[in-house]
Amino acid sequence: MSTSKAPGEFWEIETHHHHEGASTSIGFWVYLMSDCLMFAVLFAVFGVLGGAYAAGPGPRDLFDLELVALSTAFLLISSLTYGLAMLAMVRNDRSATMRWLGITLVFGLAFLGVTIYEFSHLIHIGAGPQRSAFLSAFFTLVGTHGLHVAFGCLWLVTLMVQVGQRGLVDANRRRLSCLSMFWHFLDVIWIGVFTFVYLLGVIR
């Protein structure tokens, strides 16, 4: 059977249509894995330098576990409220989604406020990052996490504006899902920081 085309006819080119944003979640998972590697390196550095106090103060002298527990509670609750925002999004309830996103933002900013207070207090008493290798590693690890939370809060504000203007369209749903992964990832990292840096630091 001949497959030749008559003059003037064109071969039909088979095209594969990909759903818009189909690769977004995969790409974002790749980003999260690279971020995970970065934090793994910072944890390893702290593990090596965490005992190098240079005859200066150590974790028992510096850390207020009650304050850190409060900031931890803020971040964990924010993860819960973001989950409630995602459930509202699935129900296509824009007002509830916006409300829970706003509550998440409040708890995220509260966490940042406690972190900034802790840093300023340590610097005020002369326990800044230049004081010892332990404090350099501490400020780098906790500060990097804090910068991620600050970026997450900025991203959250941007998405709230977009949802307010355009509603829960597919593009905004994908963005909210990506931020959800990012926010819960920061929660997991902070649990590691709280356990490895604060709790074990005070115990040993």
Side-chain angles (χ1 to χ4, degrees):
M1 181 175 180
S2 175
T3 58
S4 61
K5 291 287 184 178
E9 293 185 25
F10 297 95
W11 287 98
E12 291 185 3
I13 301 175
E14 183 180 359
T15 58
H16 298 278
H17 297 284
H18 297 280
H19 187 271
E20 183 184 359
S23 61
T24 301
S25 61
I26 297 176
F28 199 75
W29 271 112
V30 172
Y31 159 72
L32 285 182
M33 291 304 100
S34 65
D35 230 21
C36 190
L37 289 175
M38 180 189 67
F39 276 107
V41 171
L42 293 179
F43 274 109
V45 170
F46 186 86
V48 172
L49 302 178
Y53 305 140
R60 291 185 181 181
D61 308 308
L62 299 174
F63 295 157
D64 182 350
L65 285 185
E66 291 184 359
L67 185 65
V68 179
L70 178 63
S71 66
T72 301
F74 287 153
L75 197 59
L76 292 178
I77 293 173
S78 75
S79 189
L80 172 63
T81 57
Y82 199 104
L84 293 173
M86 292 299 290
L87 290 176
M89 183 194 74
V90 171
R91 298 194 308 268
N92 204 32
D93 188 341
R94 182 168 71 171
S95 62
T97 301
M98 292 285 285
R99 181 169 62 251
W100 286 117
L101 289 177
I103 295 173
T104 301
L105 178 63
V106 170
F107 279 110
L109 292 175
F111 171 84
L112 281 177
V114 174
T115 301
I116 293 172
Y117 168 79
E118 181 185 31
F119 276 20
S120 62
H121 173 70
L122 291 176
I123 294 172
H124 177 72
I125 63 175
Q130 76 284 353
R131 180 65 181 82
S132 64
F134 153 67
L135 285 168
S136 294
F138 167 77
F139 273 88
T140 302
L141 175 57
V142 179
T144 299
H145 180 271
L147 286 175
H148 277 69
V149 175
F151 172 75
C153 288
L154 180 60
W155 189 2
L156 183 54
V157 171
T158 302
L159 283 184
M160 289 178 68
V161 172
Q162 291 177 338
V163 171
Q165 292 177 343
R166 302 180 57 199
L168 295 172
V169 296
D170 289 343
N172 284 339
R173 289 174 181 267
R174 288 194 300 271
R175 292 162 187 155
L176 286 169
S177 296
C178 288
L179 180 54
S180 175
M181 290 190 288
F182 182 75
W183 202 267
H184 295 311
F185 167 75
L186 294 181
D187 243 19
V188 173
I189 295 297
W190 182 253
I191 291 173
V193 172
F194 178 69
T195 304
F196 186 59
V197 175
Y198 290 97
L199 284 182
L200 294 181
V202 171
I203 290 174
R204 64 184 179 186

